[in-house]
C-alpha cells in the first residue's frame, strides 16, 4: 500500500514544483533563485501548499532565508474574503499562541492555519484571517499587520490571559457541547488533539494559550469553522504528554 501511494505523491510533488517555478518566472526571477529556500523545505511543505502559495512564499522570502528578525507578509485571499498572512521567523517557544494572541487582541478571526518548520529551524506559518467586513480598506489592514505583527513577535512578551469573546447570534441559538479528544498519532511521536466547540471570537487563542501553559508544542493545526461550531485539530507534543 505504501509503495502504491508513493508514485502519485511524487508525481503531484514534482508537478506542483514545476508550476510554482513557472509562476515565479513570470516575475522575472532567475531559474535558480528558489534553491536556497527550497533546500530547507521538506515534502510535507510542498504537499500542503498550492503552487501559487509556494511561489508567493518563495518570492517573499528570497532575501530572508536566514533572517534574524521576523518576516511578515500579507495579501488578499484568492479564495474569498479575508487576508492571508505569512509569518517567517526562527522557531521559538509558544510562537503560534503568540500569533493567535495578536489576532485575538485586534478582534481578527483565524479561519485557517498551516504551521511548518523548515530544516534549518525556522517557522514558516500561514494564517487566513478575517475582520468580518469591518475594514473600509483592506490595504490598510495588510500594511498594519505586516508592521505590527512582526513587532509583536519580536517583543516576545508574556502571553496575556485570554478574554472570553462574545458569541455570534447563530452560536447563541445553536450551542455546541464542547468535546476534546487526544490520541497518539500513527507513528507514536506526536499526539492528535481534536477540539469541537461553539465558535466564538478568541477561542483559538484560548486553546493555544492552554497548550502553551502546559509546555506543549503545536506542529500543525487545521482550523475548521462550520457556522456556529468549530472542529479544530492540532498535532502536538511535549514532555507533559509522555
Amino acid at each position: 500500500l505504501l509503495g502504491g501511494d508513493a508514485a502519485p505523491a511524487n508525481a503531484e510533488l514534482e508537478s506542483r514544483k514545476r508550476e510554482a517555478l513557472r509562476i515565479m518566472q513570470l516575475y522575472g526571477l532567475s531559474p535558480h533563485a528558489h534553491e536556497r529556500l527550497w533546500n530547507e523545505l521538506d515534502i510535507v511543505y510542498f504537499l500542503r501548499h498550492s503552487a501559487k502559495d509556494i511561489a508567493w512564499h518563495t518570492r517573499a522570502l528570497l532575501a530572508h532565508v536566514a533572517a534574524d528578525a521576523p518576516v511578515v507578509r500579507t495579501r488578499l485571499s484568492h479564495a474569498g474574503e479575508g487576508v492571508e498572512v505569512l509569518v517567517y521567523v526562527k522557531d521559538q517557544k509558544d510562537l503560534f499562541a503568540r500569533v493567535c494572541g495578536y489576532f485575538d487582541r485586534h478582534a481578527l478571526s483565524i479561519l485557517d492555519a498551516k504551521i511548518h518548520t523548515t530544516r534549518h529551524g525556522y517557522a514558516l506559518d500561514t494564517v487566513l484571517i478575517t475582520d468580518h467586513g469591518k475594514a473600509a480598506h483592506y490595504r490598510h489592514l495588510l500594511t498594519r499587520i505586516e508592521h505590527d505583527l512582526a513587532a509583536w513577535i519580536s517583543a516576545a512578551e508574556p502571553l496575556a490571559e485570554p478574554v472570553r469573546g462574545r458569541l455570534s447570534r447563530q452560536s447563541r441559538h445553536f450551542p455546541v457541547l464542547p468535546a476534546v479528544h487526544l490520541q497518539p498519532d500513527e507513528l507514536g511521536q506526536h499526539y492528535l488533539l481534536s477540539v469541537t466547540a461553539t465558535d466564538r471570537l478568541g477561542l483559538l487563542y484560548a486553546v493555544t494559550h492552554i497548550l502553551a501553559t502546559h509546555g506543549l508544542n503545536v506542529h500543525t493545526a487545521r482550523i475548521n469553522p462550520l457556522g456556529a461550531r468549530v472542529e479544530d485539530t492540532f498535532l502536538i507534543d511535549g514532555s507533559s504528554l509522555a
Side-chain angles (χ1 to χ4, degrees):
L1 179 61
L2 292 176
D5 288 341
N10 288 337
E12 175 61 28
L13 175 66
E14 294 307 316
S15 173
R16 199 165 297 184
K17 286 183 175 181
R18 286 195 301 269
E19 178 61 14
L21 289 173
R22 186 193 68 79
I23 295 171
M24 287 187 288
Q25 288 174 0
L26 297 177
Y27 291 89
L29 299 180
S30 73
H32 302 288
H34 66 284
E35 291 178 353
R36 188 181 178 200
L37 177 64
W38 284 23
N39 286 339
E40 305 296 347
L41 303 174
D42 59 20
I43 294 175
V44 173
Y45 167 83
F46 288 102
L47 291 179
R48 291 187 73 203
H49 295 88
S50 70
K52 290 182 179 179
D53 290 342
I54 295 167
W56 175 47
H57 300 166
T58 305
R59 288 173 50 225
L61 300 176
L62 281 177
H64 307 285
V65 177
D68 291 325
V71 178
V72 178
R73 297 292 183 266
T74 59
R75 67 176 182 179
L76 295 177
S77 173
H78 294 294
E81 179 190 354
V83 172
E84 296 178 46
V85 182
L86 168 65
V87 176
Y88 183 79
V89 64
K90 289 181 180 178
D91 203 9
Q92 56 186 253
K93 186 175 182 291
D94 303 334
L95 175 63
F96 186 53
R98 199 172 305 284
V99 170
C100 292
Y102 168 83
F103 292 122
D104 181 55
R105 180 175 182 177
H106 294 279
L108 299 168
S109 296
I110 295 178
L111 303 178
D112 188 30
K114 293 184 178 70
I115 302 171
H116 190 79
T117 304
T118 68
R119 290 191 173 108
H120 65 322
Y122 277 71
L124 198 168
D125 300 344
T126 53
V127 182
L128 176 63
I129 62 103
T130 179
D131 70 344
H132 305 284
K134 296 177 184 176
H137 301 286
Y138 259 117
R139 293 295 176 186
H140 295 164
L141 179 62
L142 268 62
T143 302
R144 177 163 59 87
I145 290 174
E146 288 189 0
H147 177 271
D148 292 355
L149 179 54
W152 176 270
I153 294 171
S154 294
E157 296 181 358
L159 297 176
E161 287 296 321
V163 177
R164 184 175 179 83
R166 66 181 182 84
L167 299 173
S168 68
R169 180 180 300 176
Q170 185 180 18
S171 297
R172 289 197 301 271
H173 285 85
F174 300 97
V176 177
L177 185 65
V180 177
H181 299 284
L182 182 67
Q183 62 183 33
D185 69 353
E186 294 179 354
L187 299 178
Q189 298 176 344
H190 303 90
Y191 283 78
L192 287 172
L193 172 67
S194 301
V195 178
T196 302
T198 302
D199 195 12
R200 62 175 173 83
L201 190 63
L203 175 62
L204 182 58
Y205 178 55
V207 172
T208 56
H209 184 276
I210 290 173
L211 297 179
T213 299
H214 291 277
L216 301 176
N217 307 305
V218 179
H219 294 275
T220 63
R222 187 180 68 189
I223 313 305
N224 193 20
L226 301 169
R229 62 187 280 142
V230 293
E231 295 179 0
D232 298 344
T233 305
F234 307 87
L235 186 67
I236 63 175
D237 70 4
S239 58
S240 59
L241 293 174

